Amino acid sequence: MLLPLLLPLALATAGLAQSPGCGKDIPSKFPSPGESTTLHLPGTDREYRLYIPTTYDKNTPTALYFSFHGATQNMSYEENLSQFSKPFFNKGGIAIYPNSKNGYWLSNPNANTSRPNDLDFTNDLLTHMEELLCIDKKRVYSAGKSNGGGFTAVIACNATVGSRFAAFASVSGAYYNTDDIPGVGPCQPAEREEGYPFLEFHGTMDTTAPIDGNTKSNPKLPVIDILEGWAARNGCGPGSKWARNETVFQDPLVKHASWGCAGKRAIVQHYRESEIGHCWPSTLGNGDFKQHPSQCPLGNYVFNATEYIFDFFAGYHL
């Protein structure tokens, strides 16, 4: 579990925000509680995987967690990688794993930008879930790996879609300049009192999405630029430095930085991981460690990013 000083400041408990799906039986095409299955968003050719927990109650508003796959990967790989369907990490929430159009999400130069685009799909998919299942509209969250982590940041930047999500997390995020990308544009989230909680994990050995960015083909932005950008949007001011920067593991070395902005303690957080590259940190290992041993040479890692993500999300709601 996270050390107490790393936990975000939990917001005061507010009333649950029931979705229109509350009181309805689970649709027959949906998975039974405790299982996941692949589905299509009606009226489109877009796929997603859906997990419903064994504890699901049609009359109790339930948290919803989105998990977006990396470039050239898919929803099934992401389910196995992030493990949002495992009760060990996910204590009773619904998990959803969208599939991209062509293996890439908006912001990646190879993504299909035609409308309806990935932001439209995410918005429509969230509405679809809220209409058919009992979702707590105040507890909807987004996370992703690599291009999926970058797309999570794109969601947060969108005033329409991002305003429906309570908090965001990115693992080994690939961040591109979106200013001139059709349907994306500059980062302009809607103003809201709750702010935009953002958690980021990155390995210093990452050669796919380097922590300091790159200027080669499809240039990627430095992670510090992304973090300072979210700090500024949360009220810290441009170029603000972290409030804390601490060592949480010595071998391998893991540093944890956090920004507290406008009374929002640790609303932006970052884990800088040594001896690991473009991988989802896990104490047991996962598909990243098996497929990319040169980037994940240890075979596993000293913490579970998924556990930290759920701890972070638990501190925030709309």
Side-chain angles (χ1 to χ4, degrees), residues 29-185:
K29 64 181 179 180
F30 279 14
S32 300
E35 299 178 1
S36 59
T37 195
T38 298
L39 299 162
H40 279 84
L41 180 64
T44 77
D45 61 354
R46 301 301 297 268
E47 289 184 309
Y48 64 96
R49 284 188 65 78
L50 176 66
Y51 164 80
I52 298 177
T54 57
T55 55
Y56 178 76
D57 178 349
K58 68 179 181 181
N59 297 309
T60 302
T62 303
L64 176 61
Y65 303 96
F66 280 70
S67 184
F68 293 91
H69 65 76
T72 73
Q73 294 292 353
N74 57 51
M75 56 191 175
S76 296
Y77 185 87
E78 181 66 15
E79 181 174 23
N80 291 327
L81 181 68
S82 69
Q83 301 183 69
F84 279 20
S85 301
K86 283 200 170 184
F88 179 81
F89 298 117
N90 181 356
K91 311 299 185 185
I94 296 166
I96 191 164
Y97 308 88
N99 226 24
S100 61
K101 284 184 178 181
N102 63 346
Y104 302 93
W105 295 105
L106 273 183
S107 79
N108 188 301
N110 296 310
N112 183 329
T113 61
S114 62
R115 303 300 291 263
N117 63 22
D118 292 329
L119 284 168
D120 300 322
F121 170 50
T122 302
N123 201 46
D124 292 345
L125 184 54
L126 175 51
T127 297
H128 184 61
M129 290 296 105
E130 291 178 346
E131 289 175 345
L132 296 180
L133 293 174
C134 192
I135 304 298
D136 182 355
K137 296 170 69 174
K138 292 188 176 183
R139 294 189 297 142
V140 179
Y141 306 93
S142 178
K145 162 76 190 299
S146 188
N147 183 202
F151 181 58
T152 286
V154 169
I155 291 172
C157 285
N158 185 271
T160 299
V161 186
S163 61
R164 303 178 70 182
F165 288 78
F168 309 85
S170 173
V171 179
S172 302
Y175 309 104
Y176 302 88
N177 188 332
T178 62
D179 290 0
D180 299 321
I181 296 178
V184 184

Side-chain angles (χ1 to χ4, degrees), residues 3-22:
L3 299 174
L5 61 86
L6 304 184
L7 287 170
L9 180 63
L11 304 182
T13 302
L16 300 178
Q18 295 190 5
S19 73
C22 290

Side-chain angles (χ1 to χ4, degrees), residues 258-315:
S258 63
W259 285 253
C261 313
K264 306 178 185 73
R265 176 174 172 259
I267 194 167
V268 177
Q269 299 190 33
H270 170 61
Y271 287 89
R272 180 184 179 94
E273 312 138 5
S274 68
E275 298 185 52
I276 192 173
H278 200 64
C279 309
W280 188 291
S282 167
T283 60
L284 300 177
N286 52 41
D288 279 354
F289 288 85
K290 295 175 182 177
Q291 292 192 13
H292 309 290
S294 63
Q295 296 238 19
C296 317
L298 300 180
N300 55 31
Y301 209 59
V302 289
F303 69 86
N304 291 299
T306 301
E307 182 178 13
Y308 285 25
I309 289 169
F310 277 95
D311 282 346
F312 181 74
F313 285 168

Side-chain angles (χ1 to χ4, degrees), residues 166-205:
F168 309 85
S170 173
V171 179
S172 302
Y175 309 104
Y176 302 88
N177 188 332
T178 62
D179 290 0
D180 299 321
I181 296 178
V184 184
C187 186
Q188 295 178 328
E191 291 188 14
R192 67 186 193 191
E193 184 177 351
E194 301 86 357
Y196 286 84
F198 196 88
L199 170 64
E200 211 275 346
F201 301 83
H202 229 98
T204 59
M205 292 174 54

